[in-house]
Amino acid sequence: MAMLDHADTFIVDVPTIRPHVLAMATMHAQTMVIVRLVDADGVDGVGEGTTIGGLSYGEESPESIKSAIDTYILPILRHCDIACVAATMAKVEKSVRGNHFAKCAVETALLDMAGKRLGVPVSELIGGGRVRDSLPVAWTLASGDTARDIAEGEEMLDRRRHRIFKLKIGKREVRDDVAHVGAICKALGDRASVRVDVNQNWTEAQARIGMAMLHDVGCDLVEQPIAGDAIAAMARLSKGQPIPLMADEALNGPRSAMRIASAHAASVFALKIAQSGGLFATADVAAIGTAAGIGLYGGTMLEGGVGTVASAHVFATLPDLAWGTELFGPLLQTEDILREPLGYADFSLAVPTGAGLGIAFDEDKLAFFRRDRTSPILHAVTAGA
Ligand code: MUC
Ligand code: MG
């Protein structure tokens, strides 16, 4: 039995290492919502709810995530045995509709606490348990400039950090975007897998032409080319195109996974813990995908260390992760808010082995980057920033 003693929910803004140009927004910073729960025995757990570009990606903003947690979810937790994570989240589900990002942050914190109490990593509490200790990691080339993207890709290959690259397209004319992708495919050759994410910005007609052209220039995968709710059109494109279509924005948990699988509307699922509504729901989405013969890919909302590691614990339970992952979020930020940065080497991310999430904050940096900070501290940050 464990009762909630106190909680802190706060917003953290950290600059990105370069502008990150997406079809719907250009990011200069990433904003994370962090929730920290402490039970009556002093066991604590942390979770993260992070989206991209304010309200330009999805229906929850950082501010609404914090408000949903503080106003509606925490009062429910105060009446639960929070050691029982699934039962607690089922109670939350009864009173809070939608708000998947907020629920994911809270469920992550509860699982972190549960893992610490039991002395096991979170990956052992999901699905059938952990089956891998490292995950292949893609990098997104999205500087907005082809030559700079090629140089960045070369650098990542040289450093053996990434050999899967996702290009963000959909902002320019289809032909211009394809020329950009073709130039990068040509430069990197068979040393890398090059994929694109259109973030819903094409019409079906544009996608029909664009996907055929992308296949011809050597692109391996097209993520969410058209609107996520256009399931019938996604099915037509999946059937008619030689290049695989990956569902991202279309996936919002197990029910949407079932709809997409039944309609044959995608051949790959981008699994995202926040979009799915939590770690348990992500495992369910993965199970539906696997049962339907759909390939799995570990997606990201460009979370910082907490959300990235929570995702890694889920993806570490998947025996078949044919398309790898893109858990590079912390590397896009100028500062890591974790005491021990995550281990990226040999094109992979090492999944922490400690109890719970297996991570701890750098409290000084956290205090500095909190939006509600009260004092302008920090030697550690000002020196290298
Ligand atoms: C998305 O739409 O998949 C993931 C990587 C990246 O650069 O943006 C995201 C969001
Ligand atoms: Mg995407």
Side-chain angles (χ1 to χ4, degrees), residues 130 132-137 309 312 341-345 348-353:
R130 182 171 176 132
R132 56 175 89 229
D133 294 324
S134 76
L135 300 162
V137 183
V309 116
L342 300 179
Y344 291 94
S348 300
L349 165 66
V351 187
T353 50

Side-chain angles (χ1 to χ4, degrees), residues 203-229:
T203 62
E204 184 180 355
Q206 285 174 316
R208 199 170 306 119
I209 297 164
M211 288 175 76
M213 290 168 77
L214 285 166
H215 180 254
D216 289 347
V217 299
C219 176
D220 293 331
L221 179 70
V222 177
E223 180 173 343
Q224 204 61 61
I226 61 171
D229 58 1

Side-chain angles (χ1 to χ4, degrees), residues 43-46 108-126 130 279 306 309-310 312-314 351-360:
V43 179
D44 73 327
V46 294
T108 301
L110 293 175
L111 282 166
D112 187 23
M113 296 169 99
K116 284 175 183 165
R117 261 187 241 106
L118 298 167
V120 296
V122 165
S123 39
E124 295 295 359
L125 303 176
I126 309 285
R130 182 171 176 132
L279 285 68
V306 178
V309 116
H313 279 291
V314 181
V351 187
T353 50
L357 293 174
I359 51 167

Side-chain angles (χ1 to χ4, degrees), residues 250-262 276 281 284-285 288:
L251 272 174
N252 290 289
R255 284 166 194 254
S256 60
M258 194 63 204
R259 277 195 298 273
I260 295 166
S262 319
S276 298
D284 291 344
V285 170
I288 292 167

